[in-house]
Amino acid sequence: MGDAVAEAAEAAYWARLYGRWEPMDLAGVVGFMRGFERPWWVVGGWAIDAFTGLGREHSDVDVSIFASDVPALRAHVGERWHLWSLAGGDMRPLTDKHPDVFGPDSQVWVREHGDAPWVIDLPLTPDRDGLWTNKYFPEHTGRLDEVTWVADDGVRYLNPELVLLFKARLHRTKDQHDLERTWPLLSESKQDWLRESVRRHYPDCPWKFV
């Protein structure tokens, strides 16, 4: 089964179980986050687009915040949007009665109400002592200004070498494409870091580094 077919099947499964998706585009996400006074940044393929200046099709926009800032996000959206915590197939609404997410490495989904489509998938980022923390390898930490960068439009993005490290876990066709368009633009030190990190953490990853 090809990547596109597998992703379509997965999307259909989640839609049947939890409802349909009509994801916001990047401009919509930026508008949604406008006025949020805590750090937030775009991850995934859109971060690669911003770094390379080369676009591709995307199914949605992933934006991340520190897990400790979920209360601030709840205050930001107020009654306008409903936030749900998601982890391992379990879901529950974030309410005054249940204000806590499943964990610092879980996700938050956003929609207006029960009959409305989901519009944002917000993977949370653990933060240890105020530091960005890799959700898969907790020993990997850094200051936010070390692991992200801000584009000319004012939007903050995760560094491309970190996006690619996360993508190496899945190494789908689109992830290979993102690697190929990003690799030549990385500094030699970042190429060395990514090569060694993938070999150490994902020794079965089929990526070929040049």
Side-chain angles (χ1 to χ4, degrees):
M1 182 182 294
D3 289 345
V5 174
E7 288 183 22
E10 182 179 12
Y13 168 80
W14 286 108
R16 182 174 177 82
L17 197 61
Y18 293 126
R20 72 190 189 281
W21 272 90
E22 293 181 10
M24 291 181 178
D25 60 12
L26 182 59
V29 170
V30 171
F32 175 87
M33 299 301 293
R34 185 174 294 117
F36 182 61
E37 297 182 351
R38 300 298 301 153
W40 62 273
W41 56 96
V42 176
V43 301
W46 279 98
I48 295 296
D49 284 5
F51 176 75
T52 63
L54 303 172
R56 65 165 173 81
E57 291 187 5
H58 300 276
S59 58
D60 61 2
V61 182
D62 290 334
V63 57
S64 188
I65 65 172
F66 287 133
S68 62
D69 287 332
V70 168
L73 181 66
R74 290 190 60 217
H76 173 68
V77 304
E79 299 298 323
R80 175 71 174 80
W81 300 93
H82 291 178
L83 306 180
W84 286 67
S85 180
L86 172 72
D90 294 326
M91 290 190 72
R92 68 183 178 212
L94 295 175
T95 63
D96 291 340
K97 184 176 181 180
H98 300 288
D100 298 324
V101 295
F102 284 111
D105 58 350
S106 58
Q107 295 168 265
V108 172
W109 283 8
V110 183
R111 65 181 177 183
E112 286 189 274
H113 51 75
D115 293 327
W118 302 102
V119 295
I120 296 178
D121 179 8
L122 199 154
L124 299 176
T125 295
D127 47 318
R128 180 188 301 166
D129 299 324
L131 296 176
W132 176 95
T133 303
N134 188 315
K135 66 173 61 181
Y136 300 111
F137 312 110
E139 71 280 2
H140 178 199
T141 63
R143 298 195 314 271
L144 187 63
D145 61 358
E146 294 175 331
V147 299
T148 63
W149 62 284
V150 179
D152 292 341
D153 60 5
V155 177
R156 183 177 294 276
Y157 296 90
L158 188 65
N159 284 356
E161 70 277 11
L162 296 178
V163 175
L164 291 173
L165 178 61
F166 289 141
K167 285 175 167 287
R169 186 174 63 91
L170 301 172
H171 48 77
R172 300 158 297 190
T173 299
K174 64 181 180 181
D175 302 323
Q176 176 71 38
H177 176 62
D178 288 344
L179 171 68
E180 292 171 355
R181 62 192 176 123
T182 305
W183 181 259
L185 304 178
L186 294 176
S187 66
E188 184 176 351
S189 62
K190 290 189 174 184
Q191 287 181 344
D192 290 343
W193 179 88
L194 179 61
R195 183 188 296 111
E196 293 308 312
S197 295
V198 171
R199 288 175 177 172
R200 180 171 67 254
H201 296 302
Y202 304 113
D204 295 329
C205 179
W207 283 0
K208 303 297 183 183
F209 297 100
V210 296

